[in-house]
Structure formats: C-alpha cells, structure tokens
Amino acid sequence: MLSERMQKALNNQIKIEAESSQIYLAMASWAEGKGLEGISQFMYGQSDEERMHMLKMFKYINERGGSAVVSELSKPASEFGSIKEMFKTLFKHEVFVSQSINELVHISLEDKDYATHNFLQWYVAEQIEEEAQARTILDKINLIGDDKGGLYLFDNDIKQLTVVSSVMPGA
Ligand code: FEO
C-alpha cells in the first residue's frame, strides 16, 4: 500500500508529466507555424512521450491500491522568441523534472517503499537520457548560430532523433 505522502507526491508528478506534454505540444505548434517541420515532429514526439510517462505513473498508483488523480493543468507558453530559447526552456524543464523525480525517490526510501523505489528507477534512467538529448541539441544549436543553411540542416537532422526516440521501448 502506498503511504498518503507517497501517493500525493506521485499524483503531483502525474500533473508535472501532463504539463510537460502540454508544454511540448505548444512548442510543436510554434515550430510548425514557422515551417520547421523536423523540430515540430520532434516536439510532437516529445509530447507523446510525456503522456506515456504520465500514464505509466497513473496506472502504477491505481495498481498499488491508490487513487490516481486527473488535475487541472497550467497553460503553457505559446511564444518562444527563438529556436535556441525554446530548446533552453526544454532543457531547464527537464532538469526541473529530474529534481522532482529525485524527490520522489527520496520519499520512497524514507517510507521504505521498495516497490515504488524500484518503479521509479525507470524514470531516473529516462531523465538521464532526456537531459543528455536536450544538451546535445543545445550544443548543435550553438554551433549553428545564425546560419540559415545550418538551421535547415538541423531541422532535417532532428528528424533522426525523433525516429530513434519513437522506436525506444515505451511503457
Ligand atoms: Fe517525463 Fe521529460 O520528463
């Protein structure tokens, strides 16, 4: 059985994952509006992944005899200034998500809830990947600078990342 505190913290994480999905959906729309097909595809893919993260946790809470809650979500930003700004926002958001997952791991250890601790390891590994991916993308954007030709290639390049992440094992 989940402790009240653990259940509350997991439900809060569900909200964070659902909001992440919304944030990346807004980014997909912004990029699509700018004709950046590859970047928008990547963001649609990220948005789907976040929904999967949310659902995985949702089902876990119910499986453990708790009650998964559907919360009201904050409206995400819809303007990002530049591609670099958008990916910086994505990176910062993923660092925030990682900290939140770490906090859950901490609670699971305090509760001696080893089932939840084990469950959370998937998220710990996923966050390492998500942060690394965001860092790689930011490095590439910094290399491109203001070069329009470079941006065109990058928009094409990022489609490969979308393909790789969509074939990774899911829930
Ligand atoms: Fe579900 Fe991108 O963290």
Short mmCIF file of all heavy atoms in Angstrom, two decimals, residues 117-170:
data_model
loop_
_atom_site.label_atom_id
_atom_site.label_comp_id
_atom_site.label_asym_id
_atom_site.label_seq_id
_atom_site.Cartn_x
_atom_site.Cartn_y
_atom_site.Cartn_z
N HIS A 117 10.28 2.52 -5.09
CA HIS A 117 11.67 2.84 -5.38
C HIS A 117 12.11 2.15 -6.67
O HIS A 117 12.71 2.76 -7.56
CB HIS A 117 12.57 2.43 -4.21
CG HIS A 117 14.00 2.81 -4.40
ND1 HIS A 117 14.93 1.95 -4.93
CD2 HIS A 117 14.63 3.98 -4.17
CE1 HIS A 117 16.09 2.57 -5.00
NE2 HIS A 117 15.94 3.80 -4.55
N ASN A 118 11.76 0.89 -6.79
CA ASN A 118 12.10 0.11 -7.98
C ASN A 118 11.38 0.68 -9.21
O ASN A 118 11.98 0.86 -10.28
CB ASN A 118 11.70 -1.35 -7.73
CG ASN A 118 12.14 -2.25 -8.86
OD1 ASN A 118 13.30 -2.18 -9.28
ND2 ASN A 118 11.24 -3.05 -9.38
N PHE A 119 10.11 0.98 -9.06
CA PHE A 119 9.32 1.55 -10.16
C PHE A 119 9.96 2.85 -10.67
O PHE A 119 10.02 3.11 -11.87
CB PHE A 119 7.89 1.81 -9.65
CG PHE A 119 7.05 2.64 -10.58
CD1 PHE A 119 6.52 2.08 -11.74
CD2 PHE A 119 6.77 3.98 -10.28
CE1 PHE A 119 5.75 2.85 -12.60
CE2 PHE A 119 6.00 4.75 -11.14
CZ PHE A 119 5.48 4.18 -12.30
N LEU A 120 10.45 3.66 -9.73
CA LEU A 120 10.98 4.98 -10.11
C LEU A 120 12.31 4.91 -10.86
O LEU A 120 12.69 5.89 -11.52
CB LEU A 120 11.13 5.86 -8.86
CG LEU A 120 9.82 6.33 -8.24
CD1 LEU A 120 10.07 6.97 -6.87
CD2 LEU A 120 9.10 7.33 -9.15
N GLN A 121 12.99 3.77 -10.78
CA GLN A 121 14.30 3.68 -11.46
C GLN A 121 14.15 3.87 -12.97
O GLN A 121 15.05 4.39 -13.62
CB GLN A 121 14.99 2.34 -11.15
CG GLN A 121 15.37 2.17 -9.69
CD GLN A 121 16.03 3.40 -9.10
OE1 GLN A 121 17.04 3.87 -9.59
NE2 GLN A 121 15.43 3.95 -8.04
N TRP A 122 13.03 3.46 -13.53
CA TRP A 122 12.79 3.67 -14.96
C TRP A 122 12.81 5.18 -15.27
O TRP A 122 13.40 5.61 -16.27
CB TRP A 122 11.43 3.06 -15.36
CG TRP A 122 11.16 3.18 -16.83
CD1 TRP A 122 11.53 2.30 -17.80
CD2 TRP A 122 10.50 4.27 -17.50
NE1 TRP A 122 11.14 2.77 -19.04
CE2 TRP A 122 10.49 3.97 -18.88
CE3 TRP A 122 9.90 5.46 -17.06
CZ2 TRP A 122 9.93 4.81 -19.83
CZ3 TRP A 122 9.33 6.31 -18.01
CH2 TRP A 122 9.35 5.97 -19.38
N TYR A 123 12.21 5.97 -14.39
CA TYR A 123 12.15 7.42 -14.59
C TYR A 123 13.54 8.06 -14.41
O TYR A 123 13.89 9.00 -15.10
CB TYR A 123 11.14 8.06 -13.64
CG TYR A 123 9.70 7.76 -14.03
CD1 TYR A 123 9.06 6.60 -13.61
CD2 TYR A 123 8.99 8.64 -14.85
CE1 TYR A 123 7.77 6.31 -13.99
CE2 TYR A 123 7.68 8.36 -15.23
CZ TYR A 123 7.07 7.19 -14.80
OH TYR A 123 5.78 6.90 -15.18
N VAL A 124 14.29 7.53 -13.46
CA VAL A 124 15.65 8.05 -13.23
C VAL A 124 16.47 7.88 -14.51
O VAL A 124 17.12 8.82 -14.99
CB VAL A 124 16.33 7.33 -12.04
CG1 VAL A 124 17.80 7.71 -11.93
CG2 VAL A 124 15.59 7.65 -10.73
N ALA A 125 16.40 6.68 -15.11
CA ALA A 125 17.15 6.40 -16.34
C ALA A 125 16.64 7.26 -17.49
O ALA A 125 17.42 7.80 -18.28
CB ALA A 125 17.03 4.91 -16.69
N GLU A 126 15.33 7.40 -17.57
CA GLU A 126 14.72 8.20 -18.64
C GLU A 126 15.18 9.66 -18.55
O GLU A 126 15.46 10.30 -19.56
CB GLU A 126 13.19 8.10 -18.51
CG GLU A 126 12.40 8.84 -19.56
CD GLU A 126 12.41 8.19 -20.94
OE1 GLU A 126 12.97 7.09 -21.08
OE2 GLU A 126 11.87 8.81 -21.87
N GLN A 127 15.27 10.18 -17.33
CA GLN A 127 15.68 11.59 -17.17
C GLN A 127 17.13 11.80 -17.59
O GLN A 127 17.46 12.85 -18.14
CB GLN A 127 15.44 12.06 -15.73
CG GLN A 127 14.00 12.37 -15.41
CD GLN A 127 13.31 13.22 -16.46
OE1 GLN A 127 12.34 12.81 -17.09
NE2 GLN A 127 13.82 14.42 -16.71
N ILE A 128 17.98 10.82 -17.34
CA ILE A 128 19.39 10.94 -17.77
C ILE A 128 19.40 11.10 -19.29
O ILE A 128 20.07 11.97 -19.84
CB ILE A 128 20.21 9.71 -17.34
CG1 ILE A 128 20.36 9.68 -15.82
CG2 ILE A 128 21.59 9.71 -18.02
CD1 ILE A 128 20.99 8.40 -15.27
N GLU A 129 18.59 10.27 -19.97
CA GLU A 129 18.52 10.32 -21.43
C GLU A 129 17.95 11.65 -21.93
O GLU A 129 18.46 12.23 -22.88
CB GLU A 129 17.60 9.20 -21.91
CG GLU A 129 18.30 8.20 -22.79
CD GLU A 129 17.38 7.04 -23.10
OE1 GLU A 129 16.31 7.29 -23.69
OE2 GLU A 129 17.72 5.91 -22.73
N GLU A 130 16.87 12.09 -21.29
CA GLU A 130 16.21 13.31 -21.76
C GLU A 130 17.12 14.53 -21.59
O GLU A 130 17.18 15.39 -22.45
CB GLU A 130 14.88 13.52 -21.03
CG GLU A 130 13.91 12.40 -21.33
CD GLU A 130 12.51 12.87 -21.67
OE1 GLU A 130 12.14 14.01 -21.35
OE2 GLU A 130 11.78 12.07 -22.25
N GLU A 131 17.82 14.58 -20.46
CA GLU A 131 18.73 15.72 -20.25
C GLU A 131 19.89 15.67 -21.25
O GLU A 131 20.29 16.70 -21.79
CB GLU A 131 19.29 15.69 -18.81
CG GLU A 131 18.35 16.27 -17.80
CD GLU A 131 19.02 16.46 -16.45
OE1 GLU A 131 20.21 16.83 -16.41
OE2 GLU A 131 18.35 16.22 -15.43
N ALA A 132 20.41 14.47 -21.49
CA ALA A 132 21.54 14.32 -22.42
C ALA A 132 21.10 14.74 -23.83
O ALA A 132 21.85 15.43 -24.54
CB ALA A 132 22.05 12.89 -22.41
N GLN A 133 19.93 14.32 -24.22
CA GLN A 133 19.41 14.66 -25.55
C GLN A 133 19.25 16.19 -25.70
O GLN A 133 19.66 16.77 -26.70
CB GLN A 133 18.07 13.97 -25.76
CG GLN A 133 17.56 14.10 -27.18
CD GLN A 133 16.19 13.47 -27.35
OE1 GLN A 133 15.26 13.75 -26.60
NE2 GLN A 133 16.06 12.61 -28.31
N ALA A 134 18.68 16.81 -24.68
CA ALA A 134 18.47 18.26 -24.73
C ALA A 134 19.82 18.99 -24.79
O ALA A 134 19.97 19.97 -25.51
CB ALA A 134 17.67 18.72 -23.51
N ARG A 135 20.80 18.48 -24.05
CA ARG A 135 22.14 19.08 -24.06
C ARG A 135 22.77 18.97 -25.45
O ARG A 135 23.36 19.93 -25.96
CB ARG A 135 23.02 18.39 -23.01
CG ARG A 135 23.79 19.38 -22.18
CD ARG A 135 24.65 18.70 -21.12
NE ARG A 135 23.97 18.61 -19.84
CZ ARG A 135 23.67 17.49 -19.21
NH1 ARG A 135 23.97 16.32 -19.72
NH2 ARG A 135 23.05 17.51 -18.06
N THR A 136 22.64 17.80 -26.07
CA THR A 136 23.19 17.59 -27.42
C THR A 136 22.55 18.56 -28.41
O THR A 136 23.24 19.16 -29.23
CB THR A 136 22.90 16.13 -27.88
OG1 THR A 136 23.45 15.26 -26.91
CG2 THR A 136 23.51 15.83 -29.23
N ILE A 137 21.24 18.71 -28.32
CA ILE A 137 20.53 19.61 -29.23
C ILE A 137 21.00 21.06 -29.03
O ILE A 137 21.28 21.77 -29.99
CB ILE A 137 19.01 19.50 -29.04
CG1 ILE A 137 18.54 18.13 -29.53
CG2 ILE A 137 18.27 20.61 -29.76
CD1 ILE A 137 17.09 17.80 -29.22
N LEU A 138 21.13 21.47 -27.78
CA LEU A 138 21.58 22.84 -27.50
C LEU A 138 22.99 23.08 -28.03
O LEU A 138 23.28 24.15 -28.58
CB LEU A 138 21.53 23.13 -25.99
CG LEU A 138 20.21 23.64 -25.46
CD1 LEU A 138 20.30 23.84 -23.95
CD2 LEU A 138 19.80 24.97 -26.11
N ASP A 139 23.87 22.08 -27.90
CA ASP A 139 25.24 22.20 -28.43
C ASP A 139 25.18 22.43 -29.93
O ASP A 139 25.91 23.26 -30.47
CB ASP A 139 26.05 20.93 -28.14
CG ASP A 139 26.46 20.86 -26.68
OD1 ASP A 139 26.34 21.88 -25.97
OD2 ASP A 139 26.90 19.77 -26.24
N LYS A 140 24.32 21.67 -30.61
CA LYS A 140 24.20 21.81 -32.08
C LYS A 140 23.69 23.20 -32.43
O LYS A 140 24.20 23.82 -33.37
CB LYS A 140 23.23 20.76 -32.64
CG LYS A 140 23.82 19.38 -32.69
CD LYS A 140 22.95 18.44 -33.51
CE LYS A 140 23.50 17.03 -33.40
NZ LYS A 140 23.26 16.22 -34.55
N ILE A 141 22.70 23.67 -31.71
CA ILE A 141 22.14 24.99 -32.00
C ILE A 141 23.20 26.07 -31.80
O ILE A 141 23.30 27.01 -32.58
CB ILE A 141 20.89 25.25 -31.12
CG1 ILE A 141 19.76 24.33 -31.58
CG2 ILE A 141 20.45 26.70 -31.18
CD1 ILE A 141 18.55 24.34 -30.69
N ASN A 142 24.01 25.91 -30.76
CA ASN A 142 25.08 26.88 -30.53
C ASN A 142 26.10 26.88 -31.66
O ASN A 142 26.63 27.92 -32.04
CB ASN A 142 25.78 26.60 -29.20
CG ASN A 142 24.96 27.11 -28.03
OD1 ASN A 142 24.24 28.11 -28.15
ND2 ASN A 142 25.03 26.42 -26.90
N LEU A 143 26.35 25.71 -32.23
CA LEU A 143 27.29 25.60 -33.36
C LEU A 143 26.74 26.31 -34.59
O LEU A 143 27.47 26.97 -35.32
CB LEU A 143 27.52 24.13 -33.71
CG LEU A 143 28.57 23.38 -32.90
CD1 LEU A 143 28.57 21.92 -33.29
CD2 LEU A 143 29.95 23.99 -33.13
N ILE A 144 25.43 26.16 -34.80
CA ILE A 144 24.79 26.76 -35.98
C ILE A 144 24.81 28.28 -35.92
O ILE A 144 25.06 28.94 -36.91
CB ILE A 144 23.31 26.28 -36.10
CG1 ILE A 144 23.27 24.77 -36.36
CG2 ILE A 144 22.60 27.01 -37.23
CD1 ILE A 144 21.88 24.19 -36.14
N GLY A 145 24.58 28.83 -34.73
CA GLY A 145 24.50 30.29 -34.59
C GLY A 145 23.38 30.85 -35.45
O GLY A 145 22.25 30.35 -35.41
N ASP A 146 23.69 31.85 -36.26
CA ASP A 146 22.66 32.49 -37.10
C ASP A 146 22.67 31.99 -38.54
O ASP A 146 22.04 32.59 -39.41
CB ASP A 146 22.87 34.02 -37.10
CG ASP A 146 22.62 34.60 -35.72
OD1 ASP A 146 21.78 34.04 -34.99
OD2 ASP A 146 23.29 35.58 -35.37
N ASP A 147 23.36 30.91 -38.80
CA ASP A 147 23.49 30.40 -40.16
C ASP A 147 22.19 29.73 -40.62
O ASP A 147 21.79 28.69 -40.09
CB ASP A 147 24.66 29.39 -40.18
CG ASP A 147 24.83 28.74 -41.54
OD1 ASP A 147 24.29 29.28 -42.52
OD2 ASP A 147 25.51 27.70 -41.61
N LYS A 148 21.52 30.32 -41.59
CA LYS A 148 20.23 29.80 -42.07
C LYS A 148 20.36 28.41 -42.71
O LYS A 148 19.51 27.55 -42.52
CB LYS A 148 19.61 30.76 -43.10
CG LYS A 148 19.09 32.06 -42.52
CD LYS A 148 17.57 32.05 -42.44
CE LYS A 148 16.99 33.38 -42.05
NZ LYS A 148 17.00 33.62 -40.61
N GLY A 149 21.47 28.22 -43.44
CA GLY A 149 21.71 26.90 -44.07
C GLY A 149 21.87 25.84 -43.00
O GLY A 149 21.36 24.72 -43.12
N GLY A 150 22.57 26.22 -41.92
CA GLY A 150 22.78 25.29 -40.80
C GLY A 150 21.47 24.92 -40.14
O GLY A 150 21.24 23.77 -39.77
N LEU A 151 20.60 25.92 -40.02
CA LEU A 151 19.30 25.67 -39.40
C LEU A 151 18.47 24.70 -40.25
O LEU A 151 17.82 23.79 -39.73
CB LEU A 151 18.53 27.00 -39.24
CG LEU A 151 17.10 26.87 -38.71
CD1 LEU A 151 17.11 26.27 -37.31
CD2 LEU A 151 16.41 28.23 -38.69
N TYR A 152 18.54 24.88 -41.57
CA TYR A 152 17.83 23.98 -42.48
C TYR A 152 18.30 22.54 -42.27
O TYR A 152 17.49 21.62 -42.17
CB TYR A 152 18.06 24.44 -43.93
CG TYR A 152 17.40 23.53 -44.94
CD1 TYR A 152 16.04 23.65 -45.22
CD2 TYR A 152 18.14 22.56 -45.60
CE1 TYR A 152 15.43 22.80 -46.13
CE2 TYR A 152 17.53 21.70 -46.51
CZ TYR A 152 16.18 21.83 -46.77
OH TYR A 152 15.58 20.99 -47.66
N LEU A 153 19.62 22.37 -42.20
CA LEU A 153 20.17 21.02 -41.99
C LEU A 153 19.78 20.46 -40.62
O LEU A 153 19.44 19.29 -40.47
CB LEU A 153 21.70 21.04 -42.12
CG LEU A 153 22.25 21.28 -43.53
CD1 LEU A 153 23.76 21.37 -43.50
CD2 LEU A 153 21.81 20.16 -44.48
N PHE A 154 19.81 21.33 -39.62
CA PHE A 154 19.44 20.91 -38.26
C PHE A 154 17.99 20.44 -38.21
O PHE A 154 17.68 19.42 -37.60
CB PHE A 154 19.65 22.07 -37.28
CG PHE A 154 19.09 21.81 -35.91
CD1 PHE A 154 19.74 20.95 -35.03
CD2 PHE A 154 17.91 22.41 -35.49
CE1 PHE A 154 19.22 20.69 -33.77
CE2 PHE A 154 17.38 22.16 -34.24
CZ PHE A 154 18.05 21.30 -33.37
N ASP A 155 17.12 21.18 -38.90
CA ASP A 155 15.70 20.82 -38.92
C ASP A 155 15.51 19.43 -39.56
O ASP A 155 14.64 18.66 -39.16
CB ASP A 155 14.89 21.89 -39.68
CG ASP A 155 13.39 21.67 -39.53
OD1 ASP A 155 12.93 21.54 -38.38
OD2 ASP A 155 12.69 21.61 -40.55
N ASN A 156 16.35 19.11 -40.51
CA ASN A 156 16.31 17.79 -41.14
C ASN A 156 16.90 16.73 -40.22
O ASN A 156 16.38 15.63 -40.09
CB ASN A 156 17.14 17.82 -42.43
CG ASN A 156 16.24 17.67 -43.63
OD1 ASN A 156 15.35 16.81 -43.63
ND2 ASN A 156 16.46 18.49 -44.62
N ASP A 157 18.02 17.12 -39.61
CA ASP A 157 18.78 16.25 -38.72
C ASP A 157 17.96 15.75 -37.54
O ASP A 157 18.04 14.59 -37.15
CB ASP A 157 19.90 17.12 -38.12
CG ASP A 157 21.25 16.48 -38.25
OD1 ASP A 157 21.46 15.78 -39.25
OD2 ASP A 157 22.08 16.68 -37.33
N ILE A 158 17.17 16.63 -36.98
CA ILE A 158 16.43 16.32 -35.74
C ILE A 158 15.36 15.26 -36.01
O ILE A 158 14.92 14.58 -35.09
CB ILE A 158 15.85 17.61 -35.11
CG1 ILE A 158 15.53 17.38 -33.62
CG2 ILE A 158 14.67 18.16 -35.87
CD1 ILE A 158 15.23 18.63 -32.85
N LYS A 159 14.99 15.07 -37.28
CA LYS A 159 14.02 14.01 -37.62
C LYS A 159 14.59 12.64 -37.22
O LYS A 159 13.85 11.75 -36.82
CB LYS A 159 13.72 14.02 -39.12
CG LYS A 159 12.85 15.16 -39.55
CD LYS A 159 12.62 15.13 -41.05
CE LYS A 159 11.94 16.40 -41.50
NZ LYS A 159 12.06 16.62 -42.94
N GLN A 160 15.91 12.50 -37.34
CA GLN A 160 16.55 11.23 -36.96
C GLN A 160 16.34 10.97 -35.47
O GLN A 160 16.05 9.86 -35.06
CB GLN A 160 18.07 11.26 -37.25
CG GLN A 160 18.42 11.55 -38.69
CD GLN A 160 17.73 10.60 -39.66
OE1 GLN A 160 17.66 9.41 -39.41
NE2 GLN A 160 17.18 11.13 -40.73
N LEU A 161 16.50 12.03 -34.67
CA LEU A 161 16.30 11.89 -33.21
C LEU A 161 14.87 11.45 -32.92
O LEU A 161 14.63 10.64 -32.04
CB LEU A 161 16.53 13.24 -32.52
CG LEU A 161 17.97 13.62 -32.17
CD1 LEU A 161 17.99 14.99 -31.53
CD2 LEU A 161 18.58 12.61 -31.21
N THR A 162 13.91 11.99 -33.69
CA THR A 162 12.51 11.64 -33.49
C THR A 162 12.31 10.16 -33.77
O THR A 162 11.65 9.45 -33.01
CB THR A 162 11.60 12.47 -34.44
OG1 THR A 162 12.03 13.81 -34.41
CG2 THR A 162 10.16 12.36 -34.03
N VAL A 163 12.93 9.68 -34.86
CA VAL A 163 12.80 8.27 -35.23
C VAL A 163 13.38 7.39 -34.13
O VAL A 163 12.74 6.45 -33.66
CB VAL A 163 13.51 7.98 -36.59
CG1 VAL A 163 13.49 6.49 -36.88
CG2 VAL A 163 12.83 8.74 -37.70
N VAL A 164 14.58 7.77 -33.65
CA VAL A 164 15.24 6.96 -32.62
C VAL A 164 14.36 6.89 -31.36
O VAL A 164 14.11 5.82 -30.83
CB VAL A 164 16.64 7.54 -32.27
CG1 VAL A 164 17.22 6.85 -31.07
CG2 VAL A 164 17.57 7.39 -33.47
N SER A 165 13.84 8.07 -30.92
CA SER A 165 13.10 8.05 -29.66
C SER A 165 11.76 7.31 -29.82
O SER A 165 11.28 6.72 -28.88
CB SER A 165 12.89 9.45 -29.12
OG SER A 165 12.13 10.20 -30.00
N SER A 166 11.18 7.34 -31.04
CA SER A 166 9.87 6.70 -31.17
C SER A 166 9.97 5.17 -31.24
O SER A 166 8.97 4.49 -31.08
CB SER A 166 9.13 7.24 -32.39
OG SER A 166 9.81 6.86 -33.55
N VAL A 167 11.18 4.65 -31.50
CA VAL A 167 11.30 3.19 -31.51
C VAL A 167 11.86 2.64 -30.19
O VAL A 167 12.02 1.44 -30.04
CB VAL A 167 12.17 2.65 -32.70
CG1 VAL A 167 11.50 2.94 -34.03
CG2 VAL A 167 13.59 3.23 -32.67
N MET A 168 12.16 3.56 -29.26
CA MET A 168 12.64 3.10 -27.95
C MET A 168 11.50 2.42 -27.21
O MET A 168 10.34 2.83 -27.37
CB MET A 168 13.15 4.28 -27.13
CG MET A 168 14.56 4.67 -27.52
SD MET A 168 15.28 5.90 -26.46
CE MET A 168 13.94 6.84 -25.88
N PRO A 169 11.80 1.40 -26.41
CA PRO A 169 10.72 0.73 -25.68
C PRO A 169 9.94 1.72 -24.82
O PRO A 169 10.52 2.57 -24.18
CB PRO A 169 11.44 -0.30 -24.81
CG PRO A 169 12.89 0.02 -24.90
CD PRO A 169 13.11 0.83 -26.13
N GLY A 170 8.64 1.59 -24.88
CA GLY A 170 7.79 2.54 -24.18
C GLY A 170 7.47 2.11 -22.75
O GLY A 170 8.38 1.73 -22.02
#
